[in-house]
mmCIF file with all atom_site columns, all heavy atoms in Angstrom:
data_model
loop_
_atom_site.group_PDB
_atom_site.id
_atom_site.type_symbol
_atom_site.label_atom_id
_atom_site.label_alt_id
_atom_site.label_comp_id
_atom_site.label_asym_id
_atom_site.label_entity_id
_atom_site.label_seq_id
_atom_site.pdbx_PDB_ins_code
_atom_site.Cartn_x
_atom_site.Cartn_y
_atom_site.Cartn_z
_atom_site.occupancy
_atom_site.B_iso_or_equiv
_atom_site.pdbx_formal_charge
_atom_site.auth_seq_id
_atom_site.auth_comp_id
_atom_site.auth_asym_id
_atom_site.auth_atom_id
_atom_site.pdbx_PDB_model_num
ATOM 1  N N   . GLU C 1 85  ? 164.890 110.232 67.194 1.00 0.00 ? 85  GLU C N   1
ATOM 2  C CA  . GLU C 1 85  ? 165.428 109.839 68.514 1.00 0.00 ? 85  GLU C CA  1
ATOM 3  C C   . GLU C 1 85  ? 164.342 110.003 69.587 1.00 0.00 ? 85  GLU C C   1
ATOM 4  O O   . GLU C 1 85  ? 163.627 110.995 69.581 1.00 0.00 ? 85  GLU C O   1
ATOM 5  C CB  . GLU C 1 85  ? 166.656 110.706 68.891 1.00 0.00 ? 85  GLU C CB  1
ATOM 6  C CG  . GLU C 1 85  ? 167.911 110.435 68.083 1.00 0.00 ? 85  GLU C CG  1
ATOM 7  C CD  . GLU C 1 85  ? 168.477 109.050 68.428 1.00 0.00 ? 85  GLU C CD  1
ATOM 8  O OE1 . GLU C 1 85  ? 168.461 108.658 69.626 1.00 0.00 ? 85  GLU C OE1 1
ATOM 9  O OE2 . GLU C 1 85  ? 168.914 108.385 67.514 1.00 0.00 ? 85  GLU C OE2 1
ATOM 10 N N   . VAL C 1 86  ? 164.334 109.030 70.533 1.00 0.00 ? 86  VAL C N   1
ATOM 11 C CA  . VAL C 1 86  ? 163.498 109.160 71.684 1.00 0.00 ? 86  VAL C CA  1
ATOM 12 C C   . VAL C 1 86  ? 164.081 110.199 72.618 1.00 0.00 ? 86  VAL C C   1
ATOM 13 O O   . VAL C 1 86  ? 165.256 110.117 72.976 1.00 0.00 ? 86  VAL C O   1
ATOM 14 C CB  . VAL C 1 86  ? 163.356 107.823 72.412 1.00 0.00 ? 86  VAL C CB  1
ATOM 15 C CG1 . VAL C 1 86  ? 162.602 107.991 73.766 1.00 0.00 ? 86  VAL C CG1 1
ATOM 16 C CG2 . VAL C 1 86  ? 162.685 106.775 71.564 1.00 0.00 ? 86  VAL C CG2 1
ATOM 17 N N   . PRO C 1 87  ? 163.317 111.269 72.964 1.00 0.00 ? 87  PRO C N   1
ATOM 18 C CA  . PRO C 1 87  ? 163.880 112.312 73.808 1.00 0.00 ? 87  PRO C CA  1
ATOM 19 C C   . PRO C 1 87  ? 164.211 111.780 75.224 1.00 0.00 ? 87  PRO C C   1
ATOM 20 O O   . PRO C 1 87  ? 163.445 110.991 75.770 1.00 0.00 ? 87  PRO C O   1
ATOM 21 C CB  . PRO C 1 87  ? 162.821 113.352 73.828 1.00 0.00 ? 87  PRO C CB  1
ATOM 22 C CG  . PRO C 1 87  ? 161.569 112.668 73.442 1.00 0.00 ? 87  PRO C CG  1
ATOM 23 C CD  . PRO C 1 87  ? 161.952 111.546 72.561 1.00 0.00 ? 87  PRO C CD  1
ATOM 24 N N   . THR C 1 88  ? 165.320 112.252 75.764 1.00 0.00 ? 88  THR C N   1
ATOM 25 C CA  . THR C 1 88  ? 165.768 111.783 77.104 1.00 0.00 ? 88  THR C CA  1
ATOM 26 C C   . THR C 1 88  ? 166.120 112.979 78.034 1.00 0.00 ? 88  THR C C   1
ATOM 27 O O   . THR C 1 88  ? 166.733 112.711 79.054 1.00 0.00 ? 88  THR C O   1
ATOM 28 C CB  . THR C 1 88  ? 166.996 110.872 76.963 1.00 0.00 ? 88  THR C CB  1
ATOM 29 O OG1 . THR C 1 88  ? 168.053 111.561 76.305 1.00 0.00 ? 88  THR C OG1 1
ATOM 30 C CG2 . THR C 1 88  ? 166.637 109.596 76.205 1.00 0.00 ? 88  THR C CG2 1
ATOM 31 N N   . ASN C 1 89  ? 165.722 114.157 77.659 1.00 0.00 ? 89  ASN C N   1
ATOM 32 C CA  . ASN C 1 89  ? 166.119 115.361 78.430 1.00 0.00 ? 89  ASN C CA  1
ATOM 33 C C   . ASN C 1 89  ? 165.048 115.791 79.407 1.00 0.00 ? 89  ASN C C   1
ATOM 34 O O   . ASN C 1 89  ? 165.150 116.872 80.029 1.00 0.00 ? 89  ASN C O   1
ATOM 35 C CB  . ASN C 1 89  ? 166.463 116.520 77.487 1.00 0.00 ? 89  ASN C CB  1
ATOM 36 C CG  . ASN C 1 89  ? 167.707 116.198 76.729 1.00 0.00 ? 89  ASN C CG  1
ATOM 37 O OD1 . ASN C 1 89  ? 168.614 115.611 77.201 1.00 0.00 ? 89  ASN C OD1 1
ATOM 38 N ND2 . ASN C 1 89  ? 167.722 116.652 75.449 1.00 0.00 ? 89  ASN C ND2 1
ATOM 39 N N   . ILE C 1 97  ? 157.329 114.252 70.806 1.00 0.00 ? 97  ILE C N   1
ATOM 40 C CA  . ILE C 1 97  ? 157.545 113.512 69.535 1.00 0.00 ? 97  ILE C CA  1
ATOM 41 C C   . ILE C 1 97  ? 157.225 112.049 69.706 1.00 0.00 ? 97  ILE C C   1
ATOM 42 O O   . ILE C 1 97  ? 157.195 111.303 68.768 1.00 0.00 ? 97  ILE C O   1
ATOM 43 C CB  . ILE C 1 97  ? 158.997 113.773 69.091 1.00 0.00 ? 97  ILE C CB  1
ATOM 44 C CG1 . ILE C 1 97  ? 159.167 113.303 67.618 1.00 0.00 ? 97  ILE C CG1 1
ATOM 45 C CG2 . ILE C 1 97  ? 160.004 113.021 69.960 1.00 0.00 ? 97  ILE C CG2 1
ATOM 46 C CD1 . ILE C 1 97  ? 158.319 114.101 66.627 1.00 0.00 ? 97  ILE C CD1 1
ATOM 47 N N   . THR C 1 98  ? 157.082 111.580 70.947 1.00 0.00 ? 98  THR C N   1
ATOM 48 C CA  . THR C 1 98  ? 156.654 110.146 71.182 1.00 0.00 ? 98  THR C CA  1
ATOM 49 C C   . THR C 1 98  ? 155.176 109.964 70.972 1.00 0.00 ? 98  THR C C   1
ATOM 50 O O   . THR C 1 98  ? 154.688 108.797 71.025 1.00 0.00 ? 98  THR C O   1
ATOM 51 C CB  . THR C 1 98  ? 157.020 109.726 72.616 1.00 0.00 ? 98  THR C CB  1
ATOM 52 O OG1 . THR C 1 98  ? 156.536 110.686 73.554 1.00 0.00 ? 98  THR C OG1 1
ATOM 53 C CG2 . THR C 1 98  ? 158.572 109.626 72.754 1.00 0.00 ? 98  THR C CG2 1
ATOM 54 N N   . CYS C 1 202 ? 163.875 108.201 79.395 1.00 0.00 ? 202 CYS C N   1
ATOM 55 C CA  . CYS C 1 202 ? 162.829 108.657 78.485 1.00 0.00 ? 202 CYS C CA  1
ATOM 56 C C   . CYS C 1 202 ? 161.637 109.185 79.301 1.00 0.00 ? 202 CYS C C   1
ATOM 57 O O   . CYS C 1 202 ? 161.525 108.983 80.505 1.00 0.00 ? 202 CYS C O   1
ATOM 58 C CB  . CYS C 1 202 ? 162.413 107.501 77.580 1.00 0.00 ? 202 CYS C CB  1
ATOM 59 S SG  . CYS C 1 202 ? 161.471 106.166 78.417 1.00 0.00 ? 202 CYS C SG  1
ATOM 60 N N   . ASP C 1 203 ? 160.711 109.909 78.641 1.00 0.00 ? 203 ASP C N   1
ATOM 61 C CA  . ASP C 1 203 ? 159.587 110.491 79.378 1.00 0.00 ? 203 ASP C CA  1
ATOM 62 C C   . ASP C 1 203 ? 158.811 109.467 80.179 1.00 0.00 ? 203 ASP C C   1
ATOM 63 O O   . ASP C 1 203 ? 158.408 109.713 81.320 1.00 0.00 ? 203 ASP C O   1
ATOM 64 C CB  . ASP C 1 203 ? 158.633 111.144 78.369 1.00 0.00 ? 203 ASP C CB  1
ATOM 65 C CG  . ASP C 1 203 ? 159.193 112.444 77.779 1.00 0.00 ? 203 ASP C CG  1
ATOM 66 O OD1 . ASP C 1 203 ? 160.287 112.856 78.160 1.00 0.00 ? 203 ASP C OD1 1
ATOM 67 O OD2 . ASP C 1 203 ? 158.509 113.041 76.900 1.00 0.00 ? 203 ASP C OD2 1
#
Side-chain angles (χ1 to χ4, degrees):
E85 287 293 321
V86 173
T88 57
N89 294 323
I97 195 63
T98 50
C202 70
D203 289 356

